[in-house]
Structure formats: structure tokens, C-alpha cells
Amino acid sequence: MADELLQSRGVKPTPQRVVITQFLLDSHDHPTADEVLEGVKDSLPVSLSRATVYNTLNTLVEAGVVKAVSLEPGRTRYDANTIEHHHFVDTKTGKIIDIPWEKVSQLCQTLGPEYKIQDYQITFFGELAEPTP
Amino acid sequence: MADELLQSRGVKPTPQRVVITQFLLDSHDHPTADEVLEGVKDSLPVSLSRATVYNTLNTLVEAGVVKAVSLEPGRTRYDANTIEHHHFVDTKTGKIIDIPWEKVSQLCQTLGPEYKIQDYQITFFGELAEPTP
DNA sequence: TTTAGTGCAAAGTGTTTGCAATGGG
DNA sequence: CCCATTGCAAACACTTTGCACTAAA
């Protein structure tokens, strides 16, 4: 799975890269580099260095395998959900939730011809209501 | 101007705070802490320390005088435009431009009752066309 | 054998903090 | 006189980099 994805993007699938990619594919929160290191280091026979995590994440971002999201100051989070989507940040818990693209009705982006928009992303801030049982 | 704004928000208007606030009110790009320090230190009779810039910026954010925006990893930018607006990031130059709220037609935020939205912000990424003279 | 990738430690940024000195109320 | 604010330097958190070692083509 991760293996083929890396191949298809022209990234040599080393063991470290495969497990990091797989970890990001499996996790639907948005891990930081440190969380990736923590979550992955035990699934490798060899040790995994922090430098390799950062190098790999940068490689994956450049190759378009994952996206870097900066929703809070000081740290970058990584997201293997490359389908277009928005983010909801729970201001209480800091939890970040993906919002499907279609859930937000198309917005008419009539900014004018001087803005050549390549991408846009909506970030919602609020609180997530507890599901009442 | 800056003086009254600080008073009205319950922040004691020290000389350092006033010039920093005024600088942010005057600048329509989105300065980093360092750019604030550079832009402000000559307009004070006394020296201004980096720590005070950070302390002041945090105070201003907490008091709601300015907003902190994290649009790029690694550094926080500050924005004295407290009127609701969105951002356009020029992917070529890194320039960040305010987009008036009304320019983006109302988006139907039908996320569902479990999301109690307090705020949202749209970030556009793209290129700004040169104004053809 | 050549080259890309890894690991370690050191260096680099951006930001915060401890503490003494300062100064307005 | 008191307490908040400042400045400095050290500490901190996150990320990058230089360099030697390893492994794969």
C-alpha cells in the first residue's frame, strides 16, 4: 500500500519511509513529527532517528504524498489525506478534524482576475459538542 | 489612537506597547515578531528588547487587540486588522494579502449541529497577477 | 563502486522564562 | 512604596545541517 504509493510518486521506498507513510495513512488525526517518531519507532527493526523523520516528511511533502498543515504556531502537522478537504480545530481540546470538501457548499470565490487561485482551505475554529448518549 | 485602543481593552499603554500597536495598525502586511522589532526599535528613545516584543505581542493577542495568524510553518505573524477577513498567500513571493469578508460570498456552513463554530478563516493559495500597466 | 539514505550530534530559528533593574501610580 | 513591565541572557522547542557510516543498484 504505502510501498506502491511511494513508487508511484517516484520516492524510493526505504523501510523507514514505508512505515512513516503507512503510519500517516492510518492516522486520521494530524500527527506532528514527534508523534510520527513515537508512533513508528517500535515497528522498525532498526532505530529511527529524529533527523530521518524530518527528512522523510519533507521528502513526502515535496513528492505530494502527504500535506503539511500549519494550524497552530510552532509545529507542523502532517496529513496523508490528499483528497481536498477543510479543517475543524476544536479550540477546547486542540483536536483537528477533517471536513469533507462537499460538506461546505461551494463558495463563490469571486476574488477577481488578479488572484490566480491554486488552492484554498477553510479552517473552522470552534468546539466539538459531546455526542449526547 | 493606539493609546485609546489599548486603554479600551484594559492594557496599560506603556511606550513600548503603544509603538508596537501603532506599527501593527499601520502595516498592512503581516509582520513577524522580528519585523516588528526591526520596524519599531528606532522610534523609541530607549532600547527595545526582543523579549518585550514577544511579551507585548502575546499581551495584545490575549487582549484581542491583534490577531495571531499561522499561515506558514515556524513563525507567527500578527495582524491588527480585527475586522473579519480571509487571507491570500502568494505562493511565489510569500506575500499575504487580506481579503475582505464580503468578497467571498457567504458559504453555507452546514457542518451539522455537533460543530459549534466560533470562527472560520479561508486561506487562499495562489499567485498574484502583476497589474498590467 | 557509485550514489542515495540514515544516524548522530551540533547548529539554527523562533519563542519563552527567570531574575534583577526600572519606573509609573 | 509597590507592583507591573522591561531587558538581558539562558533555556526551550522544533527543525535543519554536516559528516561519517550503511546499504542498495
Side-chain angles (χ1 to χ4, degrees):
Chain A
M1 178 67 205
D3 204 295
E4 294 85 357
L5 176 58
L6 291 175
Q7 304 254 25
S8 73
R9 299 286 187 151
V11 179
K12 194 198 284 184
T14 68
Q16 289 86 345
R17 288 174 176 175
V18 170
V19 295
I20 289 174
T21 305
Q22 192 60 56
F23 178 79
L24 286 171
L25 286 171
D26 293 341
S27 64
H28 281 229
D29 40 7
H30 300 66
T32 62
D34 236 65
E35 288 164 355
V36 170
L37 177 59
E38 281 309 304
V40 144
K41 67 176 179 197
D42 291 336
S43 40
L44 270 175
V46 295
S47 75
L48 175 62
S49 76
R50 184 170 265 94
T52 297
V53 173
Y54 278 104
N55 288 338
T56 299
L57 290 171
N58 288 338
T59 302
L60 296 181
V61 169
E62 276 156 38
V65 177
V66 305
K67 281 182 101 170
V69 297
S70 46
L71 299 175
E72 63 191 322
R75 28 134 120 346
T76 303
R77 295 184 168 273
Y78 296 89
D79 191 349
N81 182 0
T82 49
I83 301 165
E84 285 193 312
H85 63 278
H86 306 296
H87 291 111
F88 180 90
V89 180
D90 189 323
T91 52
K92 269 281 186 354
T93 65
K95 199 168 164 55
I96 298 162
I97 294 161
D98 282 356
I99 301 291
W101 194 257
E102 326 80 54
K103 260 219 162 175
V104 179
S105 314
Q106 67 287 350
L107 83 143
C108 314
Q109 5 163 348
T110 48
L111 293 197
E114 67 270 34
Y115 300 96
K116 292 186 282 183
I117 297 170
Q118 295 160 348
D119 188 18
Y120 70 91
Q121 181 200 291
I122 307 179
T123 309
F124 298 92
F125 299 90
E127 280 176 44
L128 197 59
E130 283 302 310
T132 40
Chain B
M1 177 70 207
D3 204 296
E4 294 85 359
L5 176 58
L6 291 175
Q7 304 254 25
S8 73
R9 299 287 186 152
V11 179
K12 194 198 288 182
T14 68
Q16 289 87 344
R17 287 173 176 175
V18 170
V19 294
I20 290 175
T21 305
Q22 192 60 56
F23 178 79
L24 286 170
L25 287 172
D26 292 340
S27 64
H28 280 229
D29 40 6
H30 302 65
T32 62
D34 237 64
E35 288 164 354
V36 170
L37 177 59
E38 281 308 305
V40 145
K41 67 176 177 196
D42 291 336
S43 40
L44 270 176
V46 296
S47 75
L48 176 63
S49 77
R50 182 169 267 91
T52 298
V53 172
Y54 279 105
N55 288 339
T56 299
L57 290 172
N58 289 337
T59 302
L60 295 181
V61 169
E62 275 156 39
V65 178
V66 305
K67 280 181 101 170
V69 298
S70 44
L71 299 175
E72 62 191 325
R75 27 135 128 320
T76 303
R77 294 184 169 275
Y78 296 89
D79 192 348
N81 181 359
T82 48
I83 302 165
E84 285 194 313
H85 62 278
H86 306 298
H87 290 111
F88 180 90
V89 180
D90 190 324
T91 52
K92 270 278 184 2
T93 64
K95 200 167 162 55
I96 298 161
I97 294 160
D98 282 358
I99 302 291
W101 194 257
E102 326 79 56
K103 260 219 162 176
V104 179
S105 313
Q106 69 288 351
L107 85 144
C108 316
Q109 4 164 348
T110 47
L111 292 195
E114 67 269 36
Y115 300 96
K116 292 187 279 182
I117 297 171
Q118 295 160 347
D119 188 17
Y120 71 91
Q121 179 199 294
I122 309 181
T123 308
F124 298 93
F125 300 90
E127 281 175 42
L128 197 58
E130 284 301 311
T132 41

